[in-house]
Amino acid sequence: MNPNPSNLSWKLTSPTALFTLLLGAFMLYLSVGGVLDPVGAATGFGLPLTGSEAIPWMHIKAGRDLGLGLAIFALVATRQRQAAGVFVLATIVMPTVDALTVMQNGASLAYALMVHGSAAVYGVVLATALLRPRHPSQAVLPENGVR
């Protein structure tokens, strides 16, 4: 990690940074929703929890989502574009498992794909964009000025 901001090549205004920040913000939104309205969050997630049994499960999910959102913000803040790409790619396992879980608990395939499948697709597209080679004109020269 290079603490000199002038050498940080991932601009916060770039499309990849903005879409990564959007993902982080959405994870924080889900986290807050899981704490403030666990029954509503369970319904939106696709689980048939209608009472107090939703609280511990949605609090666990809220903690997971909070950790993911904070990690995403940290990777963007430190301009770790490739690390963010690897992180997003690795976390695609979560919406995949979520889709399988909700289908095992009564949600339709269509609902699982709409909610969790779309999250996995967003992750694949975002990770691909983050991991693609940068345009040569955007590359930062090494400290000695030679490529």
Side-chain angles (χ1 to χ4, degrees):
M1 182 170 72
N2 189 343
N4 184 350
S6 65
N7 288 337
L8 300 175
S9 63
W10 192 22
K11 304 271 188 235
L12 293 179
T13 56
S14 72
T16 55
L18 294 174
F19 281 109
T20 305
L21 289 168
L22 180 64
L23 177 59
F26 184 65
M27 298 312 298
L28 294 180
Y29 168 79
L30 292 175
S31 178
V32 170
V35 171
L36 297 179
D37 181 16
V39 173
T43 301
F45 189 77
L47 292 176
L49 304 174
T50 58
S52 62
E53 74 271 9
I55 295 170
W57 297 111
M58 290 302 102
H59 284 182
I60 290 169
K61 183 183 172 308
R64 178 184 85 172
D65 294 343
L66 177 62
L68 290 169
L70 293 175
I72 289 167
F73 283 136
L75 289 167
V76 174
T78 58
R79 311 297 207 285
Q80 301 295 314
R81 181 177 181 215
Q82 285 186 320
V86 170
F87 182 79
V88 170
L89 188 61
T91 61
I92 291 169
V93 71
M94 289 180 220
T96 304
V97 170
D98 293 347
L100 295 171
T101 300
V102 299
M103 286 186 338
Q104 288 176 346
N105 286 281
S108 68
L109 173 63
Y111 189 83
L113 290 175
M114 181 179 65
V115 174
H116 304 290
S118 64
V121 169
Y122 187 92
V124 168
V125 171
L126 181 58
T128 301
L130 290 167
L131 293 171
R132 72 171 165 47
R134 283 182 264 177
H135 188 275
S137 67
Q138 295 173 337
V140 176
L141 291 176
E143 300 236 356
N144 62 8
V146 179
R147 285 189 196 224

